[in-house]
């Protein structure tokens, strides 16, 4: 139950009722009235007033909180596993550069050790914070609750743009994989038309519903894994274990090595922006993250084990899509074509999963009043219509960038956003110890800090090794976000655009506030 506050006067700069712990929400909603005493019938308000209760998403008045809740089902564990898989990985396509950067031994060690330094801490924090705040918007809501709306907007801006930049890769990669079969797609007007057509088609899939996207991800994931299973069986007689031990520490491209690892093993928190669409997120999110971790690491390690052990090493050849050449050397042309088709299908899965996370993030921000209310508009399929269109537009505008530039810039922005997440995780542990945490990492305050130290050091290395061009582009993007938030606040104050004005979304910090007011209210 949402606690009812007796405080009714005063507003903060965002137009919400002043309430240091966020427990003001629920007062007017329980009475079925807006703050001016009139009946609240606006559909967007109904959506924003949703209260999560286990597997269902129910509004204050007992009605479903969104069109999605009544027209389509919520996402269950299996589709979530593959949505996370495609948010984070998508398979071994794109990891070939790590062998060129560091050789087989460091590549294999990297994909065994790096998950414990980065993926496991990020997945654990996502499970705790996502179940603590089971609503669309994910990390934006976590950071807003811990550090305030200003910093919540900043992480929303950086992570959304990072996701859109990431997604701009996939139509380009899809056409790259197909150009050997269709040479006309290698450039010119046919390439532009194919890029736009593919983006439009996959955008429409996102529009039709998250359930469709989830089960499409399951199908695409299975189809993407099959050729590597066959390649592993065919390669057994050709494996030479001594090839896995090749290393030359004097000839390691550390920037490429770390960026490749980081790019292929981050974005675990992206699934949190869909928490409001999950079936009983308090149970399904931790399970899905655990299973996805196994799938992701296995999907990288075993293909690398096969590829580096079955053929003689030539590091210079290990570039994007070299796995198709490995397949040809191991099994023949038929296996190469199959791997290329799997690579193309993998890019489709990554595209639709990323777009879902990005668009629902914008919806969650709009429901919290951080963005204009039209971002919270849902289609008849329950999907964030405007968020999808904005994400698709960003993808088209950024698709001209090169692969390495895209990877480096998005990694830089992602690191800055993750620093805010780690600070928020620790701050909420210290400041709100009694808040409800359906899934809690079994460590105390000191353990929480120690958990964040290794990935923070890693992010520092990624940032320090970035080129000047990447750093300048990324910092310009950050400055835009720092200026944009006050501008939107001014627009909201002047009422030039409509923003969500209710603060009746669920807040798990309220219960903790009532248990220990002196600790939580300064």
């Amino acid at each position: 139950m949402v606690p009812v506050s007796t405080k009714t006067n005063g507003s903060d700069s965002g137009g919400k009722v002043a309430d240091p712990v966020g427990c003001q929400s629920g007062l007017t909603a329980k009475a079925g009235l807006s703050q001016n005493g009139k009946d609240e019938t606006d559909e967007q308000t109904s959506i924003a007033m949703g209260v999560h209760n286990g597997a269902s998403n129910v509004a204050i008045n007992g009605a479903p909180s969104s069109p999605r809740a009544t027209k389509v089902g919520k996402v269950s564990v299996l589709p979530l596993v593959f949505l996370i898989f495609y948010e984070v990985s998508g398979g071994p396509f794109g990891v070939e550069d790590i062998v060129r950067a560091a050789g087989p031994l460091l590549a294999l060690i990297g994909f065994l050790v790096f998950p414990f330094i980065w993926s496991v801490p990020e997945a654990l924090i996502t499970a705790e914070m996502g179940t603590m705040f089971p609503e669309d918007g994910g990390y934006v809501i976590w950071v807003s609750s811990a550090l305030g709306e200003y910093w919540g907007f900043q992480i929303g801006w950086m992570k959304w743009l990072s996701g859109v930049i990431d997604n701009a890769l996939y139509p380009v990669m899809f056409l790259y994989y197909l150009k050997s079969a269709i040479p006309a797609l290698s450039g010119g007007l046919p390439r532009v038309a194919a890029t736009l057509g593919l983006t439009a088609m996959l955008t429409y899939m996102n529009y039709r519903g998250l359930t469709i996207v989830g089960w499409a991800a399951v199908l695409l994931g299975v189809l993407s894994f099959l050729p590597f299973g066959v390649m592993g069986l065919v390669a057994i007689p050709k494996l030479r274990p001594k090839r896995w031990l090749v290393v030359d520490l004097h000839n390691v491209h550390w920037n490429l090595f770390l960026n490749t690892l980081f790019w292929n093993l981050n974005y675990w928190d992206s699934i949190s922006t869909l928490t409001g669409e999950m079936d009983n997120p308090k149970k399904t999110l931790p399970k899905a993250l655990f299973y996805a971790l196994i799938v992701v690491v296995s999907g990288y390690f075993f293909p690398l084990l096969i590829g580096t052990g079955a053929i003689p090493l030539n590091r210079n050849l290990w570039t994007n899509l070299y796995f198709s050449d490995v397949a040809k050397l191991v099994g023949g042309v038929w296996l190469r074509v199959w791997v290329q088709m799997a690579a193309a299908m993998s890019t489709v899965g990554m595209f639709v999963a990323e777009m879902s996370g990005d668009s629902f993030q914008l919806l969650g921000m709009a429901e919290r009043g951080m963005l204009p209310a039209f971002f919270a508009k849902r289609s008849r399929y329950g999907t964030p219509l405007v968020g999808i269109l904005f994400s698709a537009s960003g993808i088209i505008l950024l698709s001209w960038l090169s692969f390495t530039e895209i990877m480096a810039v998005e990694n830089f922005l992602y690191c800055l956003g993750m620093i805010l997440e780690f600070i928020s995780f620790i701050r909420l542990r210290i400041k709100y110890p009694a808040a409800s945490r359906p899934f809690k990492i079994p460590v105390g305050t000191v353990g929480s800090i120690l958990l964040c130290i290794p990935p923070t050091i890693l992010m520092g290395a990624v940032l320090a090794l970035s080129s000047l061009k990447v750093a300048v582009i990324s910092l310009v993007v950050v400055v835009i976000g720092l200026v944009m938030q006050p501008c939107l606040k001014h627009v909201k104050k002047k009422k030039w655009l409509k923003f969500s004005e209710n603060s009746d979304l669920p807040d798990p910090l309220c219960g903790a506030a009532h248990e220990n007011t002196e600790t939580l209210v300064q």
Side-chain angles (χ1 to χ4, degrees):
M1 179 178 295
V2 181
V4 178
S5 170
T6 57
K7 186 175 181 179
T8 58
N9 297 321
S11 300
D12 64 10
S13 61
K16 295 182 180 179
V17 178
D19 182 4
V21 295
C23 294
Q24 175 65 20
S25 61
L27 175 63
T28 57
K30 285 184 176 293
L33 301 175
S34 63
Q35 292 186 6
N36 60 10
K38 296 180 181 179
D39 290 340
E40 190 67 77
T41 58
D42 184 82
E43 180 183 8
Q44 298 306 317
T45 303
S46 174
I47 292 172
M49 288 164 55
V51 174
H52 297 263
N53 182 17
S56 60
N57 187 14
V58 181
I60 297 294
N61 61 5
S65 67
S66 73
R68 174 206 41 79
T70 58
K71 293 188 177 182
V72 295
K74 293 193 176 183
V75 185
S76 57
V77 173
L78 183 59
L80 274 179
V81 169
F82 281 90
L83 282 172
I84 297 169
F85 168 71
Y86 277 120
E87 289 269 20
V88 175
S89 167
F93 315 107
V95 305
E96 295 94 337
D97 280 334
I98 197 171
V99 178
R100 179 164 61 92
L105 182 61
L106 287 182
L108 293 169
I109 291 175
F111 277 106
L112 285 180
V113 174
F114 193 91
F116 290 98
I117 299 174
W118 177 259
S119 301
V120 171
E122 188 184 8
L124 287 172
I125 291 172
T126 298
E128 177 171 318
M129 303 298 286
T131 55
M132 187 178 176
F133 297 90
E135 58 181 290
D136 297 329
Y139 39 76
V140 175
I141 313 304
W142 316 342
V143 175
S144 296
S145 298
L147 305 177
E149 187 176 299
Y150 182 81
W151 293 109
F153 180 90
Q154 300 311 317
I155 190 173
W157 163 245
M158 287 187 288
K159 287 291 192 76
W160 177 79
L161 191 58
S162 174
V164 170
I165 291 172
D166 182 56
N167 225 6
L169 282 171
Y170 303 133
V172 175
M173 291 172 66
F174 180 86
L175 297 178
Y176 180 80
Y177 295 146
L178 292 184
K179 71 179 183 181
S180 60
I182 310 175
L185 296 178
S186 59
L189 185 59
R191 180 184 177 86
V192 173
T195 302
L196 295 175
L198 180 65
T199 301
M201 181 183 70
L202 299 181
T203 299
Y204 179 72
M205 183 185 292
N206 273 271
Y207 165 74
R208 285 300 304 269
L210 189 57
T211 303
I212 292 175
V213 170
W215 286 107
V218 174
L219 177 61
L220 291 167
V222 172
L223 294 176
S224 297
F225 280 130
L226 279 176
F228 288 98
V230 173
M231 186 165 71
L233 294 175
V234 175
I236 290 176
K238 301 180 181 182
L239 293 177
R240 302 291 182 269
K242 66 179 182 180
R243 292 171 178 164
W244 298 326
L245 304 178
V246 177
V247 63
D248 181 4
L249 294 178
H250 299 290
N251 186 23
V252 177
H253 192 324
W254 291 108
N255 188 19
L256 181 61
F257 177 73
L258 287 178
N259 265 305
T260 303
L261 277 173
F262 193 73
W263 182 68
N264 283 283
L265 284 167
N266 61 15
Y267 282 86
W268 293 93
D269 60 335
S270 294
I271 198 66
S272 67
T273 62
L274 307 173
T275 311
E277 315 303 308
M278 297 178 190
D279 180 15
N280 194 4
K282 296 178 181 180
K283 292 183 178 180
T284 57
L285 180 58
K287 286 182 181 178
L289 284 164
F290 174 74
Y291 295 137
L293 183 64
I294 297 173
V295 173
V296 167
V297 175
S298 300
Y300 286 136
F301 185 77
F302 289 106
L304 278 173
L305 202 67
I306 297 165
T308 55
I311 62 174
L313 176 66
N314 185 338
R315 283 176 56 174
N316 292 328
L317 296 179
W318 280 84
T319 56
N320 196 25
L321 202 55
Y322 185 62
F323 269 119
S324 65
D325 294 328
V326 173
K328 181 181 178 181
L329 294 172
V330 170
V333 175
W334 64 273
L335 189 55
R336 176 183 186 175
V337 173
W338 194 2
V339 168
Q340 288 177 332
M341 291 174 60
M345 288 186 289
S346 178
T347 61
V348 171
M350 289 187 284
F351 184 101
V352 295
E354 182 71 61
M355 177 172 279
S356 294
D358 295 342
S359 56
F360 273 101
Q361 178 201 311
L362 296 181
L363 181 144
M365 293 177 70
E367 289 181 343
R368 287 279 175 174
M370 297 182 188
L371 293 175
F374 58 78
F375 279 99
K377 179 177 176 59
R378 291 182 185 256
S379 71
R380 61 189 176 125
Y381 303 106
T383 49
L385 179 61
V386 177
I388 288 173
L389 293 176
F390 261 73
S391 296
S393 300
I395 290 164
I396 293 171
L397 290 174
L398 294 169
S399 60
W400 57 271
L401 293 173
S402 72
F403 182 90
T404 53
E405 287 175 330
I406 287 176
M407 183 173 67
V409 171
E410 70 166 282
N411 281 348
F412 198 102
L413 294 175
Y414 193 83
C415 286
L416 296 179
M418 285 307 305
I419 290 171
L420 289 176
E421 281 189 35
F422 288 159
I423 293 172
S424 300
F425 166 67
I426 294 170
R427 180 173 173 81
L428 289 172
R429 275 293 191 99
I430 295 173
K431 193 176 181 183
Y432 301 93
S436 173
R437 290 174 171 85
F439 174 89
K440 185 175 182 180
I441 305 171
V443 295
T445 301
V446 175
S448 300
I449 296 172
L450 293 176
L451 183 70
C452 295
I453 290 176
T456 301
I457 293 173
L458 179 64
M459 288 189 294
V462 172
L463 294 174
L465 291 172
S466 298
S467 68
L468 179 61
K469 178 181 179 181
V470 167
V472 169
I473 293 174
S474 302
L475 292 176
V476 168
V477 169
V478 171
V479 170
I480 291 173
L482 295 175
V483 174
M484 188 188 306
Q485 199 271 350
C487 291
L488 284 174
K489 298 287 280 188
H490 184 71
V491 170
K492 182 177 181 179
K493 183 178 180 180
K494 294 293 185 179
K495 298 182 179 180
W496 293 339
L497 290 173
K498 183 180 178 181
F499 285 74
S500 175
E501 293 291 342
N502 78 80
S503 56
D504 299 300
L505 286 163
D507 194 338
L509 305 183
C510 295
H514 283 266
E515 290 183 28
N516 191 357
T517 304
E518 291 183 359
T519 302
L520 305 184
V521 183
Q522 296 179 350

